[in-house]
């Protein structure tokens, strides 16, 4: 019998996920970000234009509204650009790392054993730019799911195939573990053994 041991682990000596080199998003994804911002602020500008036209009281505040609009546009564009620069991902032997955030960053580390499903998405603009996104569904529910956008199409396909292979390998291993004994029925109960009348006294 082996001696029981419960030694202290030096957490500083453990491998650090920060050492992993993350792959940035494709530069063309900036066009999609810019287009989304332009659409949102375009609608705001149209709404403000109607407001100035139909509400005479607003016209005296046009300078303040314009400056506020311009400041909000610049701040939004800057935050989205910082978020784009901070995003990155890495696929390691046993897990996937994904970092996101603008002012503060969040790093998600998902073991392949938790991955249940993977989907590839393309918008019309993304398809035109040759980009796609990969959504990874985990056993932890929606809170643990991640979506990696701004991937080159060929890269997204490779990631999807990698994860599908991991899912299939996990399913095969689980099937081997759950193979039932021939002496048991499908419900998991032991098959009753009939007594031989000759054995009864």
């Amino acid at each position: 019998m082996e001696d029981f041991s419960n030694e202290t682990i030096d957490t500083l000596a453990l491998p650090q996920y920060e050492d992993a080199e993350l792959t940035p998003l494709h530069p063309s994804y900036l066009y999609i970000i810019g287009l989304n911002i332009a659409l949102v602020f375009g609608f705001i500008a149209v709404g403000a234009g109607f407001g100035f036209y139909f509400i005479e009281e607003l016209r005296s505040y046009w300078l303040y509204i314009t400056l506020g609009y311009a400041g909000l546009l610049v701040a939004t564009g800057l935050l989205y650009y910082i978020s784009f620069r901070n995003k990155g991902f890495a696929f390691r032997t046993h897990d996937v790392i994904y970092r996101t955030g603008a002012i503060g960053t969040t790093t998600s580390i998902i073991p392949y054993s938790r991955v249940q499903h993977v989907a590839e998405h393309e918008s019309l603009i993304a398809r035109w730019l040759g980009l796609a996104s990969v959504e990874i569904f985990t056993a932890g529910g929606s809170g643990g799911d991640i979506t990696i956008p701004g991937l080159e199409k060929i890269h997204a396909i490779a990631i999807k195939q990698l994860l599908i292979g991991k899912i299939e390998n996990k399913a095969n291993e689980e099937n081997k573990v759950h193979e039932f004994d021939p002496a048991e029925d499908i419900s998991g109960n032991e098959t009753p053994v009939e007594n031989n009348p000759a054995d009864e006294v």
Side-chain angles (χ1 to χ4, degrees):
M1 180 184 232
E2 297 183 0
D3 294 335
F4 174 77
S5 63
N6 190 19
E7 299 179 0
T8 303
I9 297 176
D10 183 5
T11 55
L12 296 178
L14 295 173
Q16 302 295 316
Y17 72 86
E18 293 91 344
D19 297 336
E21 184 177 354
L22 301 184
T23 302
L25 303 186
H26 196 279
S28 297
Y29 187 63
L30 276 174
Y31 291 109
I32 297 179
I33 294 175
L35 179 61
N36 290 335
I37 294 175
L39 287 175
V40 171
F41 279 85
F43 282 117
I44 294 176
V46 171
F50 277 106
F52 287 136
Y53 183 80
F54 291 105
I55 304 175
E56 186 175 351
E57 291 80 3
L58 288 179
R59 297 174 188 173
S60 58
Y61 300 100
W62 72 269
L63 180 59
Y64 301 104
I65 295 175
T66 302
L67 290 177
Y69 174 86
L72 183 60
L73 175 59
V74 171
T76 302
L78 184 61
L79 285 175
Y80 270 91
Y81 178 73
I82 295 174
S83 177
F84 168 79
R85 294 294 301 269
N86 286 340
K87 282 184 172 68
F89 62 91
F91 287 83
R92 303 191 294 183
T93 305
H94 302 290
D95 54 35
V96 53
I97 301 176
Y98 180 58
R99 184 183 65 199
T100 184
I103 298 176
T105 59
T106 300
T107 302
S108 302
I109 303 176
I110 299 178
Y112 293 132
S113 59
R114 286 186 54 206
V115 177
Q116 291 189 329
H117 179 60
V118 58
E120 177 190 344
H121 303 288
E122 288 181 85
S123 65
L124 183 62
I125 303 300
R127 185 181 306 172
W128 179 65
L129 294 172
L131 302 178
S133 63
V134 171
E135 187 173 6
I136 302 173
F137 300 88
T138 65
S142 59
D145 300 342
I146 62 173
T147 300
I148 305 177
L151 298 172
E152 193 174 4
K153 174 68 175 179
I154 190 173
H155 199 175
I157 294 175
I159 290 174
K160 182 179 179 181
Q161 291 176 341
L162 168 68
L163 294 177
I164 289 176
K166 297 290 185 181
I167 295 171
E168 291 177 348
N169 290 339
K170 183 180 68 172
N172 292 335
E173 292 176 0
E174 290 177 351
N175 289 336
K176 291 179 181 178
V177 172
H178 292 90
E179 285 180 350
F180 60 87
D181 193 316
E184 297 182 355
D185 60 16
I186 297 178
S187 64
N189 299 320
E190 294 186 359
T191 304
V193 179
E194 296 182 358
N195 292 329
N196 190 338
D199 295 336
E200 297 181 355
V201 178

